[in-house]
Amino acid sequence: MQPATTRESTCCGQGHAGQAVPGGSGPSAGTLERPRYFPRQLITPDDLTLEADYFRDRMRRHNVHLHGWGVVCGALVCVVPVAEQPQAGGAVGNGAQTVTEPWLVRVQPGYVLGPYGDEIVIDAVCEVSLRNGSAGEPADPRCGEVYVNEPEGPLYIAVRYRQGQVRPVPAQPAGCGCSDVSCEYSRFRDGFEFGVLDHCPGSHRPDGEARQGEEGNPFCPPCPDSAWVVLAEVTVDADGTVTRIDNCSCRRIVSSTRDDWRRCGSSDADRPPQGGAETAKATEGSAHQAAKGTRPAGDGGGRAATTAKRRASGRTRVRGASEEST
């Protein structure tokens, strides 16, 4: 059995409770801190943990205030079928009646954002007991389940974020003993747990007066007082038979932009410059000449004009020399 731990940060990713200094001095609970490393610094486990928690709390705050919280996709609750029993004189398949497990429902895989900004990934199908909220844990064969009372009225299947410690490794003992070998868990693993509520929390009910309208400045909503995210409302009979599952009445849906995309309608990357290929070659040639420090042939003050003048003066000198010699 892996030990479970509660989350270390405070409400809605607003920082660590240990950062608040009694008496009002120092950083508040809503101020995040990260370590500043410098040469010859003695690094402690608290420094490395603080750095990891800094980015986790920033992501929690981002999720809550920019995306909200609730079910993003999946996480549907359904019954657990046992077998198909045919009616009297009928065959299995036509007119057959599906028998379901009492006091048991099944949660499909899904992705949920918790009220405090935590990501809840249900990566496999889980079966949840309506009596104690346990999911997927094998019962002790020597003992049967004991229940004080049977739940009455509609029940609400909920999920919340849960963090566990895994991968124990040998660690140096704190004392001076040589024979004692202690172990420490080397990893935190993100997880979740299911619960069964007897009411739909007020945070799941839309309140028209409390919500900000389309006009005016938006306000920061208060942090929910519960970490549970309700998935469905379940109605059962006295014998535990599930008669109705409502996946909508008490479920918060988070709008996702994952499927908002468009197709490119043009081929800008394959389009040549304006004027065609000849203009592009001429422009490239001019740039090449400019890079060498010369001017184009069409420039009146360029090399072509200078060469013509030299040739003209050369012919004059040659002609004069011939006249003198003759």
Side-chain angles (χ1 to χ4, degrees), residues 52-184:
D53 290 341
Y54 171 79
F55 293 102
R56 295 181 67 215
D57 287 335
R58 285 193 61 179
M59 181 58 67
R60 288 189 179 111
R61 187 167 56 188
H62 172 89
N63 290 338
V64 169
H65 291 287
L66 291 180
H67 301 292
W69 62 275
V71 179
V72 179
C73 60
L76 295 177
V77 180
C78 54
V79 296
V80 180
V82 177
E84 288 187 346
Q85 294 184 354
Q87 296 181 351
V92 175
N94 281 329
Q97 182 179 5
T98 302
V99 179
T100 60
E101 290 282 356
W103 305 108
L104 197 65
V105 293
R106 181 174 294 169
V107 180
Q108 301 294 332
Y111 180 77
V112 181
L113 287 179
Y116 303 147
D118 298 295
E119 294 182 342
I120 303 173
V121 180
I122 306 174
D123 55 352
V125 177
C126 301
E127 294 184 354
V128 182
S129 172
L130 297 176
R131 284 170 164 168
N132 53 21
S134 62
E137 296 183 1
D140 190 343
R142 298 169 297 179
C143 301
E145 293 181 299
V146 179
Y147 308 101
V148 178
N149 52 15
E150 302 293 350
E152 298 179 358
L155 304 175
Y156 297 89
I157 306 300
V159 65
R160 67 179 177 182
Y161 173 79
R162 195 71 170 176
Q163 180 177 269
Q165 300 179 8
V166 295
R167 295 191 183 183
V169 295
Q172 293 293 334
C176 58
C178 299
S179 60
D180 296 335
V181 178
S182 60
C183 292
E184 290 287 346

Side-chain angles (χ1 to χ4, degrees), residues 229-252:
V229 179
V230 175
L231 304 179
E233 176 185 337
V234 180
T235 305
V236 295
D237 290 340
D239 59 352
T241 302
V242 177
T243 59
R244 181 174 177 270
I245 296 180
D246 187 354
N247 284 284
C248 293
S249 62
C250 190
R251 171 182 283 223
R252 288 176 59 110

